[in-house]
Amino acid sequence: MTDRQYPIPSDFASVSNLKPSDYRTLYERSVTDREGFFRDQGARVHWMTAPSHVGDWSFESPVKIEWYKDGVLNVTESCLDRHLETRGDKVAILFEGDEPGNSRKLTYRELHGEVCRFANVLKARGATKGDRITLYMPMIPEAAVAMLACARIGAVHSVVFGGFSPEALAGRIVDCDSHILITADEGVRGGRTVPLKVNADAACQIAAKAGVSVDTQLVVRRTGGDVSWDADRDVWLHEAVASVSGDCSPEPMSAEDPLFILYTSGSTGQPKGVLHTCGGYLVWAAMTHDYVFDLKEDDVYWCSADVGWVTGHTYIVYGPLANGATTVMFEGIPTYPDASRFWQVCDDHQVTLFYTAPTAIRALMREGDGPVQKTSRSSLRLLGTVGEPINPEAWEWYFHTVGEGRCPIIDTWWQTETGGAMIVPLPGTTPMKPGAGTFPMFGVEPALVDADGNTLSGATEGNLILKTSWPGQMRTVYGDHERFEQTYFSTYPGSYFTGDGARRDEDGMYWITGRVDDVINVSGHRMGTAEVESALGSHPSVAESAVVGYPHNIKGQGIYAYVTTTAGTEETDALKAELVKHVRTEIGPIASPDLIQFSSGLPKTRSGKIMRRILRKIAANDYGNLGDTSTLADPSVVDALIDGRMSG
Ligand code: WT7
């Protein structure tokens, strides 16, 4: 069967920044003259002292990754100061609140002023270069202001998604030893409030027990709802900014000084702090944002992600602002007040470039074409997607119904670790196939390998590795460089292992098939099975559990938990509900198991290793080909599990 292919929509092709031949030329240069290519790309950012080095790196142990290392910069100069002269009155952040009609515009000049004042508030509370500052924020402009304020003074921000529980927030505060927490009284999403300050207070208590005291909690007033107050620790932002100056000179930073930490799930243990540095990250953010979105000066660009994820960091804040673009920040959800909200916002603000996740597309597709068709969407010229493989049905609907065949669909594969887009059908350069990531970004050298690390050639399928470094690559796991090496460079020594599988077709296009490790992708969010298991295991009724992903119509993957209870426990629906609640308390709603199956035994090898391959198949209702079960200590557990699945 040949895959369906669509040409570049002709109206788009006639005005695109890149043409098919540009891709070939630029890609060729990016891999044959990497130094020269990335030296040129380095000019996208403003340097206080220009770097003389470009890339210095080794994927062999000891792994070391440095880019532009003797350059000196402050990323906020690239994102703010340098635009003041020519773009001072241009809208930098266009905020669309949860409630329709509640929107607010911040020009580059206003944003610059707010960032400087916020930075001075941080300084007044004792923050200095290198300090880690945790953010637990709703999707309001102050979230971006806070990130940039940290960067202005050289502090390292760690943004924790507002949907995480106090336990999860505390774990992240403790891991990076953070003494300042920035939050809001409450968040608002889909007409409901989220008790951020309550959660933040609880997290501070938990962190204190683990020996890390948060001495400043800076609180943004979003709703004005009642909050409890600790006068020694808590500071209202609006009060604090009233007494500080609007001038704050940018802290000179080495290119390799840390910019931020972002915690992400892995296949083992607790989330790891992915560390990105100032120079290379910003070059990669600016370069990819420009190429991926075919950016033009008067675009209105909207990425619907949350700043709590890397997509929000790179493609709401750093990339667009470095490029002087207008970036929309949306506080709400796709279905509030109804399923036409996304498209309504596109009309209201004349959005030209729109970027969202397959899970949102599927959820909206389920509501039918009506909510889309009652809007115009005539301003749109490009549609992007990110976070998980997009199924062809969702792709077709996005292309035909939302974009009416006018807009290319830009499916961007990347990871928290990569800092920015890595495999992507660059607009104007390639025909599209629904579900294909197509070709590597400039400077990216992917390869497919088998389990033993043999490189596979031609049309084939295998594990996806990257053979060379790029400026936006993560530099280490915060506080644990050994874990960094172990996680990414030990499976295929000398290469970066992505954890993803991929197929390459006859045209050389890459198709990402999904994670090949114990990471599951729920609604485009990464969740480690080990984390969910550890949360379940902390409940007194749970003796053992095994968590796997299974196909889910809207979420892409759902969370399936096999639970063995402690002796004498009654296995009721009430207990299942309690276990779900327990996981929500330990991690947050995004980790809630979708299905729990009580199972008296789990399939284990004689050495006690759980065979997840079998559990994945049973969860997927795919019993035909369970593979070799003869090495199991007790093969009969498999039948019992299948019976349980079928009756569950
Ligand atoms: C994992 C990374 C990229 C920022 C948001 C998620 C999956 C991501 C795609 C895509 C197929 C994708 C991969 C990857 N993924 N984008 N376009 N097609 N799969 O970042 O939380 O670090 O997750 O998301 O499995 O490894 P993340």
Side-chain angles (χ1 to χ4, degrees):
M1 199 187 84
T2 53
D3 299 301
R4 220 159 158 186
Q5 179 166 314
Y6 289 94
I8 307 160
S10 54
D11 285 359
F12 187 91
S14 61
V15 297
S16 66
N17 296 342
L18 293 177
K19 307 296 177 204
S21 60
D22 295 328
Y23 176 78
R24 285 190 293 273
T25 316
L26 282 164
Y27 184 78
E28 195 53 30
R29 171 159 189 240
S30 76
V31 294
T32 53
D33 173 23
R34 300 177 63 81
E35 285 284 302
F37 180 83
F38 282 116
R39 176 170 292 116
D40 291 354
Q41 293 298 330
R44 288 179 178 270
V45 311
H46 175 84
W47 299 97
M48 295 172 175
T49 308
S52 64
H53 287 253
V54 184
D56 296 284
W57 54 271
S58 164
F59 284 180
E60 307 282 347
S61 188
V63 174
K64 177 194 83 167
I65 297 155
E66 293 174 337
W67 284 87
Y68 310 109
K69 70 174 171 195
D70 57 351
V72 178
L73 79 166
N74 184 290
V75 302
T76 66
E77 280 198 298
S78 291
C79 295
L80 302 168
D81 305 62
R82 68 160 158 177
H83 302 311
L84 294 182
E85 205 170 307
T86 51
R87 300 185 175 113
D89 297 319
K90 179 173 177 174
V91 176
I93 295 182
L94 203 170
F95 170 68
E96 169 73 15
D98 186 57
E99 214 50 58
N102 168 20
S103 72
R104 183 175 134 204
K105 291 174 176 162
L106 272 168
T107 64
Y108 272 94
R109 200 179 320 285
E110 290 165 336
L111 183 60
H112 177 263
E114 288 210 13
V115 168
C116 289
R117 273 186 293 276
F118 201 122
N120 282 331
V121 170
L122 293 174
K123 278 188 181 169
R125 296 298 298 191
T128 55
K129 179 171 176 172
D131 288 353
R132 279 79 51 216
I133 297 183
T134 302
L135 276 67
Y136 184 64
M137 291 287 279
M139 276 291 291
I140 56 177
E142 287 79 0
V145 172
M147 290 163 74
L148 293 162
C150 291
R152 188 80 172 175
I153 65 169
V156 183
H157 58 72
S158 162
V159 183
V160 178
F161 173 59
F164 279 116
S165 69
E167 284 285 346
L169 173 58
R172 288 153 172 80
I173 289 172
V174 170
D175 185 80
C176 68
D177 191 29
S178 173
H179 300 279
I180 299 182
L181 175 59
I182 306 172
T183 189
D185 50 1
E186 294 174 308
V188 189
R189 284 187 86 229
R192 288 193 242 180
T193 57
V194 185
L196 293 175
K197 173 78 163 66
V198 171
N199 291 348
D201 289 347
C204 290
Q205 280 194 2
I206 301 167
K209 284 196 200 116
V212 173
S213 93
V214 172
D215 346 289
T216 295
Q217 208 184 143
L218 202 50
V219 188
V220 177
R221 193 167 61 190
R222 166 62 186 89
T223 64
D226 272 347
V227 287
S228 60
W229 206 254
D230 173 341
D232 292 333
R233 181 195 65 194
D234 299 347
V235 180
W236 281 114
L237 178 74
H238 62 273
E239 289 177 2
V241 290
S243 58
V244 295
S245 135
D247 291 325
C248 175
S249 59
E251 183 72 30
M253 304 290 284
S254 145
E256 284 301 331
D257 281 337
L259 174 60
F260 66 83
I261 298 167
L262 189 54
Y263 286 88
T264 193
S265 298
S267 52
T268 56
Q270 291 305 306
K272 43 184 181 278
V274 168
L275 185 110
H276 283 286
T277 55
C278 297
Y281 171 79
L282 195 69
V283 170
W284 195 244
M287 172 187 128
T288 57
H289 178 259
D290 182 15
Y291 287 135
V292 167
F293 296 102
D294 189 56
L295 192 67
K296 299 188 166 53
E297 188 61 42
D298 50 5
D299 273 317
V300 176
Y301 161 84
W302 177 16
C303 163
S304 78
D306 191 287
V307 289
W309 311 113
V310 74
T311 310
H313 283 59
T314 307
Y315 295 122
I316 294 177
V317 180
Y318 289 111
L321 296 178
N323 289 333
T326 295
T327 178
V328 174
M329 251 182 113
F330 177 48
E331 186 182 34
I333 58 172
T335 48
Y336 178 82
D338 60 46
S340 67
R341 184 67 189 277
F342 270 179
W343 326 122
Q344 197 62 57
V345 173
C346 287
D347 284 359
D348 290 349
H349 299 302
Q350 292 294 292
V351 171
T352 56
L353 312 169
F354 179 67
Y355 190 32
T356 196
T359 187
I361 299 167
R362 286 192 297 267
L364 295 176
M365 186 168 78
R366 193 177 57 172
E367 307 288 325
D369 295 358
V372 185
Q373 282 162 353
K374 73 181 208 203
T375 64
S376 147
R377 287 154 288 111
S378 58
S379 56
L380 288 172
R381 63 181 194 91
L382 178 151
L383 298 169
T385 149
V386 60
E388 51 175 314
I390 184 165
N391 48 312
E393 299 72 34
W395 193 103
E396 299 270 355
W397 187 79
Y398 201 28
F399 182 66
H400 293 292
T401 304
V402 177
E404 296 172 347
R406 285 180 292 112
C407 309
I409 303 294
I410 309 302
D411 176 3
T412 61
W413 173 83
W414 57 295
Q415 310 178 301
T416 305
E417 294 87 338
T418 71
M422 301 293 281
I423 294 183
V424 43
L426 282 175
T429 72
T430 170
M432 302 168 291
K433 294 183 191 175
T438 74
F439 299 110
M441 172 55 76
F442 306 132
V444 173
E445 297 186 82
L448 299 180
V449 293
D450 65 16
D452 302 322
N454 303 306
T455 302
L456 307 169
S457 55
T460 184
E461 189 165 342
N463 289 345
L464 179 65
I465 61 168
L466 302 170
K467 297 194 297 187
T468 48
S469 182
W470 62 99
Q473 183 169 25
M474 75 181 283
R475 301 301 195 255
T476 192
V477 169
Y478 184 78
D480 197 348
H481 196 69
E482 203 178 303
R483 189 172 176 196
F484 176 60
E485 285 206 28
Q486 182 61 34
T487 307
Y488 303 103
F489 302 94
S490 68
T491 319
Y492 301 110
S495 294
Y496 168 85
F497 179 39
T498 62
D500 279 311
R503 172 163 83 83
R504 190 171 46 226
D505 69 18
E506 320 66 49
D507 298 323
M509 287 188 180
Y510 287 89
W511 301 66
I512 310 299
T513 49
R515 301 290 305 198
V516 293
D517 54 9
D518 291 321
V519 168
I520 46 191
N521 193 323
V522 190
S523 303
H525 300 143
R526 238 160 104 165
M527 191 46 62
T529 52
E531 274 172 84
V532 184
E533 285 163 10
S534 138
L536 283 167
S538 68
H539 188 281
S541 302
V542 175
E544 189 176 31
S545 72
V547 169
V548 295
Y550 75 104
H552 187 288
N553 282 341
I554 302 290
K555 299 180 178 184
Q557 280 192 301
I559 299 180
Y560 198 102
Y562 296 88
V563 171
T564 307
T565 54
T566 46
T569 302
E570 233 190 300
E571 298 184 337
T572 60
D573 285 346
L575 177 59
K576 286 187 182 174
E578 192 180 312
L579 292 177
V580 171
K581 192 164 158 252
H582 182 71
V583 174
R584 292 170 74 97
T585 313
E586 292 290 310
I587 306 175
I590 56 168
S592 308
D594 296 279
L595 288 169
I596 292 181
Q597 177 177 340
F598 291 123
S599 35
S600 53
L602 294 170
K604 290 184 187 168
T605 60
R606 285 184 202 95
S607 62
K609 195 171 164 340
I610 295 175
M611 288 183 81
R612 287 162 190 284
R613 174 176 57 79
I614 293 174
L615 293 176
R616 277 188 216 113
K617 295 237 166 180
I618 296 175
N621 274 317
D622 173 12
Y623 317 119
N625 175 24
L626 290 179
D628 184 10
T629 55
S630 64
T631 55
L632 288 176
D634 176 8
S636 74
V637 297
V638 172
D639 292 329
L641 286 170
I642 294 176
D643 286 348
R645 174 66 171 125
M646 289 170 57
S647 60

